[in-house]
Amino acid sequence: MSVGILTSGGDCPGLNAVIRAAVFTGSKLHDLDFVGYRWGWKGLVENDVVPLGRPQVMGISKQGGTILGSSRTNPFDFGGAERVAEVMAEGGVDSLIAIGGEGTLAAAQRLADAGIRIVGVPKTIDNDLSATDYTFGFDTAVQIATEAMDRLRTTGDSHGRCMVAEVMGRHVGWIALHSGMAAGAHAILIPEQKTSLDQIISWVEHARDRGRAPLIAVAEGFKLDSMDDAHSERGLDAFGRPRLGGIGELLAPLIEERTGIETRATTLGHIQRGGTPSAYDRVLATRFGMTAIDMVLRKRWGKMVALRGTDMIEVPFSDALGQLKTVPQERYDEARVLFG
Amino acid sequence: MSVGILTSGGDCPGLNAVIRAAVFTGSKLHDLDFVGYRWGWKGLVENDVVPLGRPQVMGISKQGGTILGSSRTNPFDFGGAERVAEVMAEGGVDSLIAIGGEGTLAAAQRLADAGIRIVGVPKTIDNDLSATDYTFGFDTAVQIATEAMDRLRTTGDSHGRCMVAEVMGRHVGWIALHSGMAAGAHAILIPEQKTSLDQIISWVEHARDRGRAPLIAVAEGFKLDSMDDAHSERGLDAFGRPRLGGIGELLAPLIEERTGIETRATTLGHIQRGGTPSAYDRVLATRFGMTAIDMVLRKRWGKMVALRGTDMIEVPFSDALGQLKTVPQERYDEARVLFG
Amino acid sequence: MSVGILTSGGDCPGLNAVIRAAVFTGSKLHDLDFVGYRWGWKGLVENDVVPLGRPQVMGISKQGGTILGSSRTNPFDFGGAERVAEVMAEGGVDSLIAIGGEGTLAAAQRLADAGIRIVGVPKTIDNDLSATDYTFGFDTAVQIATEAMDRLRTTGDSHGRCMVAEVMGRHVGWIALHSGMAAGAHAILIPEQKTSLDQIISWVEHARDRGRAPLIAVAEGFKLDSMDDAHSERGLDAFGRPRLGGIGELLAPLIEERTGIETRATTLGHIQRGGTPSAYDRVLATRFGMTAIDMVLRKRWGKMVALRGTDMIEVPFSDALGQLKTVPQERYDEARVLFG
Amino acid sequence: MSVGILTSGGDCPGLNAVIRAAVFTGSKLHDLDFVGYRWGWKGLVENDVVPLGRPQVMGISKQGGTILGSSRTNPFDFGGAERVAEVMAEGGVDSLIAIGGEGTLAAAQRLADAGIRIVGVPKTIDNDLSATDYTFGFDTAVQIATEAMDRLRTTGDSHGRCMVAEVMGRHVGWIALHSGMAAGAHAILIPEQKTSLDQIISWVEHARDRGRAPLIAVAEGFKLDSMDDAHSERGLDAFGRPRLGGIGELLAPLIEERTGIETRATTLGHIQRGGTPSAYDRVLATRFGMTAIDMVLRKRWGKMVALRGTDMIEVPFSDALGQLKTVPQERYDEARVLFG
């Protein structure tokens, strides 16, 4: 039996560990064959395949990114289930393992509904899928952001500056929440909690008054409660294009102006998602990959693997698609105690 | 109200984050005062205290070890509940937060039974407490062991050697299981699974035959199934004292002799438990510390904080004392698929 | 005898190791006393001092930043040599150790000329002082930038993207040169070498044609050879202020437009200068601090410590001030072989 | 023209960066072809070759170990220059680049004397070659040892223990000297300086009396001045074989017995030589590899590349063979100021 694997959407530390574990387990234990589709759904609809056996996956667990490549192609823009079935038949591929985020799983759902034999592995560096406690990549991103903030803090301390670290999280604030808590930030600003500049200033000044160099963790999707105005005022650059700077670079001068504390912003950007996965993510991704094979063998089409406590479980794709897992009020309140 | 804090047993990355979160939350939100007892129960029975306010805990989350010091002293060897009550009364201390492992929690249980107002925070770098999904320190230890094995692997590959990495785990194999899985070890040897040398040799040779330099993760408490003999033969050094070398150094020459593959053992030892905690451990420890304050305020004496899924819960001390959380057969079987 | 120490200018990993070594050596071996001036020259002209003995410097070597704080205050804006002499006399301070970069050493030179007993320790994270082979901080910055590029590369590979990493270096390209070489960048762009966009495009396309995801290391001070125009066109934001985005964010869309390769820029910013110093920097800084004490004892006023090969030497301040140590043509040509 | 490359002796972080730089430069700029000999001289005398072009060396700079494999085979045990010339002629290989330590360079010297066209790249993780300021691998080893000691220190502090870290260095103490200085060790024990147990005890007690948890960095080749006796007494295990434990495990109980301070030894072992090279080592190794090609083109047979200050120079093999570069008295005295 031949299984096709693809990785779709933004890259994430741990993708290769999923691939390795699936191929290793499937080929060693169950005599499955594998092919890899290149660049996500794009490779599937274009029948762009690479061989995928144990030699190809040897030692890749600790490698960031995905050896298969990824893209944001939607298969339903290129023939949908019909084209997918055609390509699979051509290549003698019986079933698929799709590794990806919400968009990927939505497409997988539609393919499964149309009869394609497909199981899923959830991927979201932002930790925004409600069907699973965590997915791989999030821990690595939090670790990188935390280490960066540890560094920024020493610079802040040396110059009596306020340091603003902008981390990933367009729609949810999990990375900011965890890295901010780990690094001892004096304010954590997340999309789920619109906040006034006054409140932020109060936290900053409170930290300063205790002799600390204020450190702020802000998710890229955070908005000031007055943001609609501020944004329209400042949101465009000299050419009328969306301004390059993110929320961190927006906040820094506002804080400096109001408090008189020299303030610097750093946008961590892509370094949060690349590179060697943490051990936590490698273990989780490996277990996900092995469970995906188990699901293929048990023909659990239309389902994806998930983590519940310390257990591997399986859930319908739809569970992952319902709604974004945002930071609940109580987790924010818990963290907020440490602000200021 | 004044709260005493102590850390007891072997050190663990995250202890300081617990202390900081407790002091910070308690003093900022609830006007609690704190004292720290030095060197675990020892400081309590000897009334050896240090002041513990926000200045003392500033910035300590990312610091390994414990600023309070620790020891393995048992309070019941030095006056027990009576002496503890006396010291607390003397210092005007109303309640205690004890941070420690099984031994510490057993003492805490007895003190609670005798009327001491005490809550607990579980600490076990080995992940062997059944009442909680994880505790802080374990993730850091796994990460350090994984990085070390990543390094050992390149040396193994360069020389065609078999590398044996001995990691912590006297009674349970969690660190070996997770780090071995993360590092792609060709065999993971844990106390829960006595294994024959023949079986190990077979994994080693199988890896070698696939062109790999075999990598073995072995927990310090692992025993060969023939170990009683081997141990009595080899377990003592020239002076009749217990031999210095651990199981890794015992296995290496046996593997080399049987396979002809040059084999080297490395004992990671104390580097696994020291140093900066991972972001995961800092977040978990911070939440533990904050929840402990919540429990003090709600007078949940005789209980300890625990992690269930992503939630903070509380459980009676006795839940932590019942039985060691060993690696279950299914988790071992899952990992074993990747051996050889 | 009492010695005053101050750190001035931008912070740099290793400053604390200099302070610790000086205080430790001076007080242990030679019975010197120390005071620390806060916030660089500012603390000196304002007589803002902290005690500086072995307890204060215990364990600080591995701490980023400077425990004394730093600023860019120029003592000659606040009374110059006269005021400095007055403050020193008031505090019974006989001599000074000034740790700083070009600006700091220029002020130190003028003070020395006016009779102040002062020796210097060079500090430049950019490696732009010609009087010394290296200074502390540079190695750490290069290491951080290299690790970040290692991460960016896996993201680039996974998406077939061109990744642009902007690193420190306003006037010289040393950090870009070393980190780019270490990370295997396909182009290294430095202030010393104006380069045409055509040339950059050619390197990018060449890397792409060999199946690589192009990686570019660019120093913040790099200029396209057509830069005067481009800059005046693009250099201001919507409010007429200097634009926030740096050269990396300027280059990325230009490259994407010309090559059709999706291109992303990351500005590493302040994370390059904070945090735990590398072992290399700790050793160098420690030796600098010890040598500074030696120079104080031998009354080598007006001189600073420097590294020549593996030796500590001393040079007049003026040697450090003559001219910027830029990347010589032959070092650039050497690196350039690996481009494309 | 075809060039053969081999790596010989113990592995070292940076070997792959040398190989990559040589192949990349040689093939891109000078149309050279390359073959790699497997497992050092063994592959040369057995004509065990692998193709070595740009695809094979892509992205290997940051990989520890050597993609060619290594061994301690001496070519003069297997036919010497005659056999080497024969194999080279058979494969159409004109010249050799040998990357290795003293033994390798000694063999290379004899081959060069016999007319083999060979240049060398020095490799010594111990920094014991007098002809070059540094070689690659040393910086990585020092960094790993320093990080390990940073970790050990927190454990020592938490338990009031003395921690002994045994690092590499059978004949010279450079790794111990640099990592001990970087980590702030209270004693650094190196082969060049026989020391009495009394002296060590005095440093340990002095550190303890200042409230520190004593940290000792000891090179594996260090000997107590009374060592001949102690060693003969304790040097054999229960089977009359050389005892497994190193000097660290010998010292720990002696220190504990004399001072009453609980003392623990950790032997860092092979983790010091494996894994991702530091940026410093990657840059140095890359420059070595490029210079080696330059030397091949200029027919500098019998010479090896070396670092002098910041420059690449070339020296005759014999310069590297003369004598071990030991830690000079003044560098030890400098470090010793910080002991205790």
Side-chain angles (χ1 to χ4, degrees):
Chain A
M1 200 167 83
S2 176
V3 180
I5 301 185
L6 61 86
T7 52
S8 174
D11 68 320
C12 201
L15 286 166
N16 285 326
V18 177
I19 298 169
R20 170 181 171 271
V23 169
F24 204 105
T25 311
S27 56
K28 181 176 168 193
L29 232 59
H30 309 289
D31 256 341
L32 301 179
D33 289 322
F34 292 89
V35 297
Y37 291 107
R38 298 277 292 153
W39 310 112
W41 298 112
K42 188 163 184 289
L44 182 50
V45 295
E46 296 180 356
N47 206 356
D48 180 3
V49 300
V50 286
L52 204 53
R54 285 173 67 176
Q56 281 79 35
V57 302
M58 214 164 73
I60 65 171
S61 288
K62 67 169 196 169
Q63 213 173 299
T66 160
I67 59 165
L68 296 177
S70 187
S71 71
R72 298 191 187 276
T73 302
N74 183 334
F76 287 93
D77 295 342
F78 298 90
E82 205 168 332
R83 176 60 186 152
V84 165
E86 188 179 73
V87 170
M88 289 174 68
E90 222 170 277
V93 173
D94 302 285
S95 58
L96 297 177
I97 298 175
I99 313 171
E102 215 197 341
T104 306
L105 298 171
Q109 165 89 69
R110 286 179 66 189
L111 291 174
D113 290 347
I116 303 291
R117 298 148 60 97
I118 185 166
V119 301
V121 173
K123 169 206 71 70
T124 155
I125 206 160
D126 289 330
N127 193 33
D128 59 3
L129 286 176
S130 54
T132 186
D133 279 2
Y134 292 106
T135 58
F136 55 89
F138 172 67
D139 183 70
T140 305
V142 170
Q143 181 66 31
I144 294 171
T146 301
E147 287 174 13
M149 282 191 248
D150 285 349
R151 293 194 178 278
L152 294 179
R153 180 188 284 282
T154 67
T155 284
D157 284 339
S158 300
H159 293 279
R161 276 185 197 147
C162 173
M163 304 300 282
V164 179
E166 182 184 315
V167 303
M168 288 191 298
R170 209 157 293 171
H171 305 294
V172 302
W174 288 106
I175 292 177
L177 184 82
H178 279 234
S179 61
M181 195 179 239
H186 301 100
I188 299 174
L189 308 176
I190 60 176
E192 293 88 339
Q193 300 279 344
K194 278 201 173 193
T195 308
S196 70
L197 186 57
D198 283 349
Q199 174 62 81
I200 297 171
I201 296 303
S202 143
W203 285 324
V204 165
E205 291 182 336
H206 195 246
R208 190 256 323 265
D209 293 346
R210 292 189 301 119
R212 313 304 314 269
L215 175 68
I216 297 180
V218 57
E220 53 183 336
F222 169 76
K223 287 188 176 55
L224 286 169
D225 61 1
S226 59
M227 196 73 174
D228 295 338
D229 303 339
H231 208 236
S232 62
E233 251 182 76
R234 293 162 190 268
L236 301 177
D237 75 4
F239 304 95
R241 297 173 311 193
R243 51 197 294 290
L244 289 166
I247 180 69
E249 283 174 353
L250 180 80
L251 284 175
L254 298 175
I255 294 170
E256 180 161 332
E257 193 182 356
R258 285 280 298 273
T259 62
I261 305 169
E262 199 184 13
T263 303
R264 293 279 183 279
T266 298
T267 305
L268 298 185
H270 288 89
I271 59 166
Q272 294 166 90
R273 67 185 320 137
T276 304
S278 70
Y280 182 98
D281 281 337
R282 291 195 229 172
V283 170
L284 181 55
T286 299
R287 296 183 72 197
F288 272 8
M290 298 176 82
T291 306
I293 291 300
D294 190 54
M295 288 164 66
V296 165
L297 293 169
R298 292 184 298 106
K299 303 182 193 303
R300 308 296 289 166
W301 318 126
K303 300 219 174 338
M304 69 168 209
V305 62
L307 176 73
R308 186 73 44 88
T310 61
D311 294 327
M312 295 288 105
I313 61 166
E314 59 189 47
V315 297
F317 287 154
S318 49
D319 278 21
L321 303 177
Q323 60 181 67
L324 225 51
K325 181 173 65 178
T326 52
V327 174
Q329 188 66 38
E330 65 268 22
R331 285 298 304 278
Y332 177 74
D333 290 342
E334 180 192 68
R336 187 176 159 152
V337 171
L338 303 168
F339 290 5
Chain B
M1 200 167 82
S2 177
V3 181
I5 301 186
L6 62 85
T7 52
S8 174
D11 68 320
C12 202
L15 285 166
N16 285 326
V18 177
I19 298 168
R20 169 181 172 272
V23 170
F24 205 105
T25 311
S27 55
K28 180 177 169 193
L29 231 58
H30 310 289
D31 255 339
L32 301 179
D33 290 321
F34 292 89
V35 297
Y37 291 107
R38 297 276 295 153
W39 311 114
W41 299 112
K42 188 163 184 291
L44 181 51
V45 295
E46 296 180 357
N47 204 359
D48 180 2
V49 300
V50 286
L52 203 54
R54 285 173 67 175
Q56 282 78 33
V57 301
M58 212 164 73
I60 65 172
S61 287
K62 66 170 199 170
Q63 213 172 297
T66 161
I67 58 164
L68 296 176
S70 187
S71 72
R72 298 190 187 276
T73 302
N74 184 336
F76 287 92
D77 295 343
F78 298 91
E82 205 167 332
R83 174 65 185 147
V84 165
E86 187 179 73
V87 170
M88 288 174 68
E90 219 169 281
V93 173
D94 303 284
S95 59
L96 297 176
I97 298 175
I99 314 171
E102 216 196 341
T104 306
L105 298 171
Q109 164 90 70
R110 287 180 63 188
L111 292 174
D113 290 347
I116 303 290
R117 297 146 61 97
I118 184 166
V119 301
V121 174
K123 171 205 70 68
T124 155
I125 206 160
D126 289 330
N127 192 33
D128 59 3
L129 286 177
S130 53
T132 186
D133 280 3
Y134 292 106
T135 58
F136 57 88
F138 174 66
D139 183 69
T140 305
V142 170
Q143 181 66 30
I144 295 172
T146 300
E147 286 174 12
M149 283 191 248
D150 285 350
R151 293 194 177 279
L152 293 178
R153 180 189 284 281
T154 68
T155 284
D157 285 339
S158 300
H159 293 281
R161 275 185 198 149
C162 173
M163 303 301 281
V164 179
E166 184 184 315
V167 302
M168 287 190 299
R170 209 158 294 172
H171 303 294
V172 301
W174 288 106
I175 292 176
L177 185 82
H178 279 232
S179 61
M181 197 180 237
H186 302 99
I188 299 173
L189 308 175
I190 60 176
E192 293 88 338
Q193 299 279 345
K194 278 202 171 191
T195 307
S196 71
L197 186 57
D198 283 349
Q199 174 62 79
I200 297 170
I201 297 302
S202 143
W203 286 323
V204 167
E205 292 183 333
H206 194 245
R208 190 256 321 265
D209 294 347
R210 291 189 302 120
R212 313 304 312 269
L215 174 68
I216 297 179
V218 58
E220 54 183 334
F222 168 76
K223 286 188 176 57
L224 284 169
D225 61 1
S226 59
M227 198 74 173
D228 294 338
D229 302 339
H231 210 237
S232 62
E233 252 181 77
R234 294 162 191 267
L236 302 177
D237 76 2
F239 303 95
R241 299 174 310 195
R243 50 197 294 289
L244 289 166
I247 180 68
E249 282 174 352
L250 180 80
L251 284 176
L254 297 175
I255 293 170
E256 178 160 334
E257 192 182 357
R258 285 279 298 273
T259 63
I261 306 171
E262 200 183 12
T263 303
R264 293 281 183 277
T266 299
T267 304
L268 298 185
H270 287 88
I271 59 166
Q272 294 166 91
R273 67 184 321 136
T276 303
S278 70
Y280 181 97
D281 281 338
R282 291 195 229 173
V283 171
L284 182 54
T286 299
R287 297 183 71 198
F288 272 7
M290 298 176 82
T291 306
I293 291 302
D294 189 55
M295 288 165 63
V296 165
L297 292 169
R298 292 184 298 106
K299 302 181 191 305
R300 309 295 290 164
W301 318 126
K303 300 221 175 333
M304 68 168 209
V305 62
L307 175 73
R308 186 72 44 86
T310 60
D311 295 326
M312 294 289 104
I313 61 167
E314 58 187 49
V315 298
F317 287 154
S318 50
D319 278 22
L321 304 176
Q323 60 180 65
L324 225 52
K325 181 172 67 178
T326 53
V327 174
Q329 189 66 39
E330 65 268 22
R331 286 297 306 277
Y332 178 74
D333 291 343
E334 180 192 68
R336 185 175 161 155
V337 170
L338 302 169
F339 291 4
Chain C
M1 200 167 82
S2 177
V3 180
I5 301 186
L6 61 86
T7 53
S8 173
D11 67 318
C12 200
L15 286 166
N16 285 326
V18 177
I19 297 169
R20 170 182 171 271
V23 170
F24 204 106
T25 311
S27 55
K28 181 177 169 192
L29 231 58
H30 309 290
D31 256 339
L32 301 180
D33 290 320
F34 292 89
V35 297
Y37 291 106
R38 297 277 293 154
W39 311 114
W41 298 112
K42 188 164 184 291
L44 181 50
V45 293
E46 297 180 357
N47 204 357
D48 180 3
V49 300
V50 286
L52 202 54
R54 284 174 66 175
Q56 282 78 33
V57 302
M58 212 166 74
I60 64 171
S61 288
K62 66 171 198 169
Q63 214 173 296
T66 161
I67 59 165
L68 295 178
S70 187
S71 72
R72 298 191 187 277
T73 302
N74 184 335
F76 287 92
D77 295 342
F78 299 90
E82 205 167 331
R83 175 62 187 151
V84 165
E86 186 180 74
V87 170
M88 289 174 67
E90 221 170 278
V93 173
D94 304 283
S95 57
L96 297 176
I97 298 176
I99 314 172
E102 215 196 341
T104 307
L105 299 171
Q109 164 90 69
R110 287 179 64 189
L111 292 174
D113 290 347
I116 303 291
R117 298 148 59 96
I118 185 164
V119 301
V121 174
K123 170 205 70 68
T124 154
I125 205 159
D126 289 330
N127 192 34
D128 58 2
L129 287 176
S130 52
T132 185
D133 279 2
Y134 292 106
T135 57
F136 56 89
F138 173 67
D139 184 69
T140 305
V142 169
Q143 181 66 31
I144 293 171
T146 300
E147 286 174 13
M149 283 191 247
D150 284 350
R151 294 194 177 279
L152 293 178
R153 179 189 284 280
T154 68
T155 285
D157 284 339
S158 299
H159 292 281
R161 275 185 199 149
C162 174
M163 304 301 281
V164 179
E166 183 184 315
V167 302
M168 287 190 299
R170 210 158 293 171
H171 304 294
V172 301
W174 287 106
I175 292 177
L177 184 83
H178 278 233
S179 62
M181 197 179 236
H186 302 99
I188 298 173
L189 307 177
I190 60 176
E192 293 88 338
Q193 300 279 343
K194 280 202 172 191
T195 308
S196 70
L197 186 58
D198 283 349
Q199 173 62 80
I200 298 171
I201 297 302
S202 142
W203 285 324
V204 166
E205 292 183 334
H206 194 245
R208 190 255 324 264
D209 294 347
R210 291 189 302 118
R212 314 304 313 269
L215 175 67
I216 297 180
V218 58
E220 53 182 336
F222 168 75
K223 286 188 177 57
L224 284 170
D225 59 2
S226 59
M227 199 72 173
D228 294 337
D229 303 338
H231 210 236
S232 62
E233 253 182 75
R234 292 160 191 268
L236 301 177
D237 75 4
F239 303 95
R241 297 174 310 195
R243 50 196 294 289
L244 289 166
I247 180 69
E249 283 173 352
L250 180 80
L251 283 176
L254 298 176
I255 293 171
E256 180 161 331
E257 191 182 357
R258 285 280 298 273
T259 62
I261 305 171
E262 200 183 12
T263 303
R264 293 281 183 279
T266 298
T267 304
L268 299 185
H270 288 87
I271 59 167
Q272 293 166 90
R273 67 184 322 136
T276 304
S278 70
Y280 181 97
D281 281 338
R282 292 195 228 172
V283 171
L284 181 54
T286 299
R287 297 182 72 197
F288 272 8
M290 299 175 83
T291 306
I293 292 301
D294 189 56
M295 288 164 64
V296 165
L297 293 169
R298 292 185 298 105
K299 303 181 192 305
R300 308 296 287 165
W301 318 125
K303 299 218 175 336
M304 68 168 209
V305 62
L307 175 72
R308 186 73 44 87
T310 60
D311 294 327
M312 294 290 104
I313 61 167
E314 59 189 48
V315 297
F317 287 154
S318 50
D319 278 21
L321 304 176
Q323 59 180 67
L324 226 51
K325 181 173 65 180
T326 53
V327 174
Q329 189 66 38
E330 64 269 22
R331 284 298 305 277
Y332 177 73
D333 291 342
E334 180 193 68
R336 186 175 160 153
V337 171
L338 303 168
F339 291 4
Chain D
M1 199 167 85
S2 177
V3 180
I5 301 185
L6 62 86
T7 53
S8 173
D11 69 319
C12 202
L15 285 166
N16 284 325
V18 177
I19 297 169
R20 169 181 171 273
V23 170
F24 204 105
T25 312
S27 56
K28 181 176 168 195
L29 231 58
H30 309 289
D31 256 341
L32 301 179
D33 290 320
F34 292 89
V35 297
Y37 290 106
R38 298 277 293 153
W39 311 113
W41 298 111
K42 189 164 184 289
L44 180 51
V45 294
E46 295 180 357
N47 204 357
D48 179 3
V49 298
V50 286
L52 203 53
R54 285 174 66 174
Q56 281 79 34
V57 302
M58 214 163 73
I60 64 172
S61 287
K62 67 169 197 169
Q63 212 172 297
T66 161
I67 58 165
L68 296 177
S70 186
S71 71
R72 298 192 187 277
T73 302
N74 183 335
F76 287 92
D77 295 343
F78 299 90
E82 204 168 334
R83 176 60 187 152
V84 165
E86 187 178 74
V87 170
M88 288 174 69
E90 224 170 276
V93 172
D94 303 285
S95 58
L96 297 176
I97 299 175
I99 314 171
E102 214 197 341
T104 306
L105 297 171
Q109 163 91 70
R110 287 179 64 188
L111 292 174
D113 290 347
I116 303 290
R117 296 146 61 96
I118 185 166
V119 302
V121 174
K123 171 205 69 70
T124 155
I125 205 160
D126 290 329
N127 192 33
D128 59 2
L129 286 177
S130 53
T132 186
D133 279 2
Y134 293 107
T135 58
F136 56 89
F138 173 66
D139 183 69
T140 304
V142 169
Q143 180 66 31
I144 294 171
T146 300
E147 287 174 13
M149 282 190 248
D150 284 350
R151 294 193 177 279
L152 294 178
R153 180 189 284 279
T154 68
T155 284
D157 284 339
S158 299
H159 293 281
R161 276 184 198 148
C162 173
M163 304 300 282
V164 179
E166 182 184 317
V167 302
M168 287 191 298
R170 210 158 293 172
H171 304 294
V172 301
W174 288 106
I175 292 177
L177 184 82
H178 279 233
S179 61
M181 196 180 240
H186 302 99
I188 299 174
L189 308 176
I190 60 176
E192 293 89 337
Q193 299 279 345
K194 279 201 173 193
T195 308
S196 71
L197 186 57
D198 284 349
Q199 173 62 80
I200 298 171
I201 297 302
S202 144
W203 287 322
V204 165
E205 292 183 334
H206 194 245
R208 190 257 322 267
D209 294 347
R210 292 189 302 119
R212 314 302 315 267
L215 174 68
I216 298 180
V218 57
E220 55 184 333
F222 168 75
K223 286 188 177 55
L224 285 168
D225 62 0
S226 59
M227 196 74 174
D228 295 338
D229 302 340
H231 208 237
S232 63
E233 252 182 76
R234 292 162 192 267
L236 302 178
D237 75 4
F239 304 95
R241 297 173 311 195
R243 50 197 294 289
L244 289 166
I247 179 69
E249 283 173 353
L250 180 80
L251 284 176
L254 298 175
I255 293 170
E256 179 161 334
E257 192 182 358
R258 285 280 298 274
T259 62
I261 306 170
E262 200 184 13
T263 304
R264 294 280 183 278
T266 298
T267 305
L268 298 184
H270 288 89
I271 60 165
Q272 293 165 92
R273 66 185 322 137
T276 303
S278 69
Y280 181 97
D281 281 337
R282 292 194 228 172
V283 170
L284 181 55
T286 299
R287 296 182 73 196
F288 272 8
M290 297 175 84
T291 307
I293 291 301
D294 189 55
M295 288 164 65
V296 165
L297 292 170
R298 292 185 298 106
K299 302 181 192 302
R300 309 295 290 165
W301 319 126
K303 301 220 174 336
M304 69 169 209
V305 62
L307 175 72
R308 185 75 43 89
T310 60
D311 295 326
M312 294 289 105
I313 61 166
E314 59 188 49
V315 297
F317 287 154
S318 50
D319 278 22
L321 304 176
Q323 59 182 64
L324 226 49
K325 180 173 65 178
T326 52
V327 174
Q329 189 66 39
E330 65 268 22
R331 285 298 305 276
Y332 177 74
D333 291 342
E334 179 193 67
R336 187 176 159 152
V337 171
L338 304 168
F339 291 4

